[in-house]
Amino acid sequence: MLALRSLAFNVCFYAMTTLLAFGGLPTLVSRRAVLRLARLWGRLTLWLLRVVAGMKVEFRGLENIPEGPLLIAAKHQSALETLALCTVFPEFAYILKRELLLIPLIGWYLSRSGMVAIDRSKGARAMSLMNAAAATAIQEGRQLIIFPEGTRRAVGAPPAYKQGLSHLYTALKVPCVPVALNTGRFWSRNSLIRRPGTAVIHFLEPIPPGMGRPEFQALAQERLETASNALLEPGPAGSTVGAEQPASTAAGHTAATAQRH
């Protein structure tokens, strides 16, 4: 049954993604139209997960998200958080590798939506170029999302945080919201199986600007690891324990964040 439900979800997901990718080409006329399409993609994915795969996504700590430009530092265990975070922020921008912009069709959307691409071929200059592009995004009032470990990590893997997060924090001078999660328990990074249950994405209290780089890096990592590890403890009804903030399901989340959009 698990394999059949996972197969059904994957077929529906990739069919829906293909339809949106081609049908959404007119949105390339503007950045905001592309972002609206991305939010629709994320919401439809969460709906398919719930209806087809039996997986709910629970957002916690939405009240911890300040208005205006932000730096969002999220754990990265699967593709699920990449899709889910699109539904929360009205003007999101991901930090991503430049190679993704070269993918046919997908790269068009990424470029038009103003994502911040890192050109690793630039070597030492890559960080300064990233900071400059990120500063532009922040000046436009956007919410900049970065995965501090740089790539998806297995559930429970030792932390491997890069310096990009602390560079951005000190350069941008905006609050940083850490995001803990346990999505890898349900949507594995190297598997097509989608497990039923309740995946949790928890927005922690924002870290205000003004800290030194080493202090901020240590604090952000400690908060992310502690909260994410707590979410890995089994709880009732397929959910998790260890989070203090009130929860909202994906359906409730849509209404709760409508004003932000």
Side-chain angles (χ1 to χ4, degrees):
M1 180 62 71
L2 176 61
L4 287 176
R5 295 185 75 174
S6 297
L7 176 62
F9 167 79
N10 289 324
V11 169
C12 293
F13 171 74
Y14 287 111
M16 177 266 293
T17 299
T18 301
L19 288 173
L20 287 179
F22 285 98
L25 287 173
T27 65
L28 291 170
V29 297
S30 75
R31 184 187 78 199
R32 290 192 174 181
V34 173
L35 294 180
R36 285 195 295 269
L37 180 68
R39 289 197 295 273
L40 174 62
W41 183 39
R43 288 168 181 158
L44 288 174
T45 301
L46 298 186
W47 180 80
L48 284 174
L49 281 171
R50 178 170 54 85
V51 172
V52 180
M55 183 197 309
K56 296 180 181 179
V57 177
E58 190 175 275
F59 294 88
R60 295 178 177 171
L62 291 172
E63 70 280 3
N64 287 328
I65 303 174
E67 296 291 337
L70 296 169
L71 181 60
I72 312 297
K75 284 287 288 183
H76 198 17
Q77 295 176 352
S78 76
L80 175 53
E81 55 269 17
T82 306
L83 296 163
L85 290 174
C86 290
T87 71
V88 177
F89 301 102
E91 290 286 343
F92 70 90
Y94 276 98
I95 302 287
L96 47 79
K97 57 185 179 182
R98 184 177 177 274
E99 290 81 356
L100 295 177
L101 303 184
L102 304 178
I103 300 175
L105 196 59
I106 298 299
W108 300 351
Y109 285 105
L110 294 175
S111 297
R112 192 68 181 95
S113 58
M115 301 295 110
V116 176
I118 303 175
D119 187 352
R120 295 174 179 173
S121 67
K122 299 294 184 182
R125 291 190 59 221
M127 194 67 70
S128 61
L129 292 172
M130 178 190 71
N131 287 346
T136 299
I138 290 297
Q139 289 168 7
E140 294 172 346
R142 306 187 68 180
Q143 297 84 40
L144 196 62
I145 303 172
I146 183 173
F147 298 118
E149 293 174 281
T151 188
R152 291 174 296 173
R153 301 276 292 168
V155 172
Y161 287 71
K162 314 299 183 186
Q163 294 300 312
L165 173 61
S166 60
H167 273 283
L168 286 172
Y169 170 80
T170 54
L172 300 177
K173 297 179 173 58
V174 294
C176 174
V177 177
V179 181
L181 46 82
N182 66 351
T183 55
R185 292 180 60 191
F186 306 92
W187 183 319
S188 175
R189 61 185 184 140
N190 294 320
S191 173
L192 293 176
I193 295 297
R194 308 292 176 250
R195 299 186 180 280
T198 302
V200 177
I201 296 177
H202 187 185
F203 299 91
L204 307 178
E205 290 188 6
I207 301 174
M211 295 182 64
R213 273 189 59 196
E215 293 79 11
F216 165 77
Q217 184 84 1
L219 178 61
Q221 177 172 329
E222 188 274 332
R223 286 191 183 180
L224 281 169
E225 291 302 308
T226 299
S228 293
N229 288 337
L231 291 176
L232 296 179
E233 301 174 14
S239 186
T240 49
V241 299
E244 299 178 354
Q245 300 297 336
S248 68
T249 62
H253 147 73
T254 300
T257 59
Q259 294 182 344
R260 300 184 62 85
H261 297 188

